[in-house]
Amino acid sequence: MIQFKGALTHFANPLSHRDNAYSNDQKSVISVAKSREAIKSITSWPSYAPTNLHHLDDLAKDCGFGEIWYKDEATRFGLKSFKALGGAYAVARQLQDIIEAKTGAEPTITDILNGTYKDAISEIVVTCATDGNHGRSVAWGAQMFGCRCVIYIHRDVSEGRKQAMEAFGAEVIRIAGNYDESVRLADSEAKAKGRIIVSDTSYEGYMDVPKDVALGYTVMLSETVDQLGGDIPTHVFIQGGVGGLASAVTGYFWDLWGEKRPRIVVVEPEQANCLQKSAQAGHPVTVEGDLDTLMAGLACGEVSLLGWQILSNGADDFVTMSENMVAPVMQLLARGYKSDAKIEAGESAVAGLGAAILASQDREMTAKLGLNDQSRILVIGTEGATDPEMYERLVGQIWQN
C-alpha cells in the first residue's frame, strides 16, 4: 500500500443525480456538437499532435483501484500545458470575428496563419489576467496569429512564468494584488484602451469568449475518448480553479455519455476552494485572502459563472487537498512508480491524482466517493514543468536520492 501524509475535506453535491438531464442552457456552453469546430481548427495548427494517455497500472493496483489513466499535457504544443488549447483558440476566434466584421467574410485559420490579414491583425491587442499557463497560451496565440498582447499577473506568479510569456512577445504587467484583482484590472484597462479580453473565467457582462476557451479544451477530451478505446471511466478527479476546465470535462462527458458518465470529483487547494464553498452555499461564493497555494494555477477565489452553470448540478463531489501532497506526488511521477511511466508533472497537475491516492488510504473517504477495486479513474495532468525553477526545487532533489 502507498502511504502519503495529507488531508482531504469532502462535500457531496446534493443537486447532482445520475438522472439529471444535460440542459440546453448547459449545452450552449459545452457540447459535443459545439466542440467539432474547435477540434477541426486546432488539429490543423502547426505541430499539433495528441498527448499521451498513460496507464498507471502498478499505482492503480497498489491503491486498490481497477485502473488509473493519466492524460499527460506536459507536451502540448511545447507550452507544457492544456491551456495551450483554450487561450490560443479563443484568440483565433476573436480575430476571425473582427476580420469578418470589417470585411464581411470570415477568414479561415489558414488565411490568418498565411498572413492574408497581417496589417489589420497587427493593430489588434488581446489581453488577460493569468496565473501563468493561460497567459502563456494567449501570448503564444497572439504571436502565432500576428496580433499584440498585454498580460496581467498577480504578486505570486513566479518570475519564470513571467519570462515565459515575455518570450512570446507579450507585455507583462505585475500587480501587487491577487489573481481576482488582476482579472478586474485587465477588464477595466481593456475597456479603457480598446483591447480584446481573452479570459478563461466568466463574469457578469463577459460570457462569450470563455466559451471558446472551454471549447478549446475539448480537443484534449476528444483525444482521451479515442485513447480509452470504448472504456468509460467510473470517476474523473479534476482540478478546480475557477471551474473552466472542470465544467468542460463535466459537460463534455455528460453530453457524450449521459447516465453512463463518470462521477466527477472536483479537487481544490485548501486555501482556494471557491467551488466547494459555492456547492455548500448553493450559489457562487468568493473566497477572500491570499489564496496561498503551491498549486498556482488553482489559486482562484471567484467562480466562473459559466463554469458554475454546469458544475452546480453536474459535479458530484468537491474535495480539498492539503499542500503537503503536492511535492510527493510530483516526485512519485517523476521517478515512475514501479514499472509505470516516468512523467513530468507541475504543481497544478497533481491535484486529481493526489486526491485519489489520499482517498485510497481512508476507508471512510473511499466509501464517500464510491471507490473500490473496480473503479476506473481518469486524471488530467494539466501541466509539466511550466516553472522549471519551481519544478527543480520540488522534484530535482530526487535525482540525488
Side-chain angles (χ1 to χ4, degrees):
M1 288 291 293
I2 298 171
Q3 289 297 321
F4 280 156
K5 293 181 180 179
L8 296 178
T9 66
H10 172 261
F11 179 76
N13 186 2
L15 300 181
S16 180
H17 305 284
R18 288 293 92 186
D19 57 355
N20 282 354
Y22 194 49
S23 71
N24 288 333
D25 284 345
Q26 290 168 319
K27 289 181 180 181
S28 74
V29 181
I30 285 287
S31 71
V32 173
K34 284 173 66 67
S35 74
R36 293 182 184 125
E37 182 180 348
I39 293 169
K40 181 180 178 181
S41 174
I42 293 171
T43 55
S44 73
W45 293 359
S47 303
Y48 166 76
T51 57
N52 289 326
L53 182 72
H54 297 291
H55 294 243
L56 303 184
D57 295 334
D58 285 331
L59 184 59
K61 179 180 178 181
D62 286 359
C63 286
F65 303 140
E67 297 268 7
I68 296 178
W69 294 291
Y70 183 101
K71 181 63 169 169
D72 183 5
E73 290 297 293
T75 60
R76 182 67 71 182
F77 282 120
L79 272 71
K80 293 181 175 283
S81 168
F82 83 102
K83 293 276 190 176
L85 298 166
Y89 177 66
V91 170
R93 290 292 304 124
Q94 286 300 294
L95 297 179
Q96 286 176 305
D97 288 348
I98 291 169
I99 297 302
E100 182 178 12
K102 289 182 177 180
T103 67
E106 181 179 344
T108 65
I109 289 296
T110 301
D111 291 333
I112 293 175
L113 288 171
N114 288 343
T116 303
Y117 302 95
K118 179 179 179 180
D119 291 343
I121 288 175
S122 66
E123 298 176 356
I124 298 169
V125 182
V126 295
T127 187
C128 71
T130 185
D131 288 309
N133 291 340
H134 174 71
R136 190 180 309 197
S137 178
V138 170
W140 173 66
Q143 183 184 73
M144 177 166 56
F145 300 127
C147 63
R148 295 159 54 204
C149 182
V150 179
I151 304 291
Y152 294 82
I153 60 175
H154 57 86
R155 61 185 171 232
D156 297 322
V157 175
S158 71
E159 187 63 22
R161 289 194 168 97
K162 176 177 181 286
Q163 291 172 0
M165 289 178 272
E166 291 173 332
F168 290 116
E171 177 187 352
V172 182
I173 299 170
R174 186 186 294 275
I175 72 164
N178 64 21
Y179 170 76
D180 299 307
E181 290 169 313
S182 69
V183 169
R184 289 189 283 271
L185 181 60
D187 179 77
S188 63
E189 294 215 346
K191 290 172 180 174
K193 299 180 180 182
R195 297 169 180 164
I196 307 300
I197 305 174
V198 181
S199 176
D200 58 348
T201 190
S202 57
Y203 41 88
E204 287 295 340
Y206 184 76
M207 296 289 186
D208 292 335
V209 176
K211 291 182 181 180
D212 287 329
V213 174
L215 286 170
Y217 301 156
T218 63
V219 172
M220 173 180 66
L221 304 179
S222 175
E223 290 173 3
T224 301
V225 171
D226 290 343
Q227 291 164 330
L228 287 170
D231 286 333
I232 300 177
T234 60
H235 296 71
V236 178
F237 281 70
I238 188 67
Q239 291 84 333
V242 299
L245 172 62
S247 62
V249 170
T250 302
Y252 188 86
F253 290 156
W254 193 353
D255 191 34
L256 180 66
W257 286 319
E259 292 184 3
K260 296 180 180 179
R261 68 190 183 276
R263 183 167 179 164
I264 301 294
V265 183
V266 177
V267 184
E268 298 174 282
E270 291 175 323
Q271 303 302 317
N273 60 335
C274 59
L275 296 172
Q276 186 185 69
K277 287 187 177 296
S278 296
Q280 291 168 335
H283 59 81
V285 168
T286 298
V287 174
E288 305 287 353
D290 290 338
L291 310 177
D292 188 28
T293 173
L294 272 176
M295 296 172 277
L298 308 182
C300 307
E302 294 186 21
V303 176
S304 167
L305 296 184
L306 285 173
W308 190 244
Q309 192 170 313
I310 293 172
L311 295 174
S312 60
N313 71 333
D316 299 285
D317 304 273
F318 295 85
V319 303
T320 66
M321 185 183 80
S322 56
E323 295 291 306
N324 59 347
M325 277 295 288
V326 176
V329 180
M330 292 171 66
Q331 292 167 8
L332 177 148
L333 289 170
R335 285 191 181 101
Y337 183 76
K338 293 188 174 179
S339 64
D340 291 340
K342 295 180 180 179
I343 298 171
E344 177 189 291
E347 311 90 86
S348 297
V350 300
L353 183 60
I357 292 171
L358 275 182
S360 75
Q361 299 177 179
D362 183 332
R363 287 187 179 181
E364 183 179 353
M365 189 63 66
T366 300
K368 287 179 177 179
L369 295 174
L371 293 166
N372 55 45
D373 61 2
Q374 300 301 305
S375 297
R376 302 181 303 279
I377 298 170
L378 171 65
V379 298
I380 297 178
T382 49
E383 65 174 3
T386 53
D387 184 343
E389 184 177 337
M390 177 69 77
Y391 185 81
E392 177 65 22
R393 182 161 66 85
L394 296 176
V395 174
Q397 64 266 29
I398 72 169
W399 310 122
Q400 284 83 50
N401 293 345

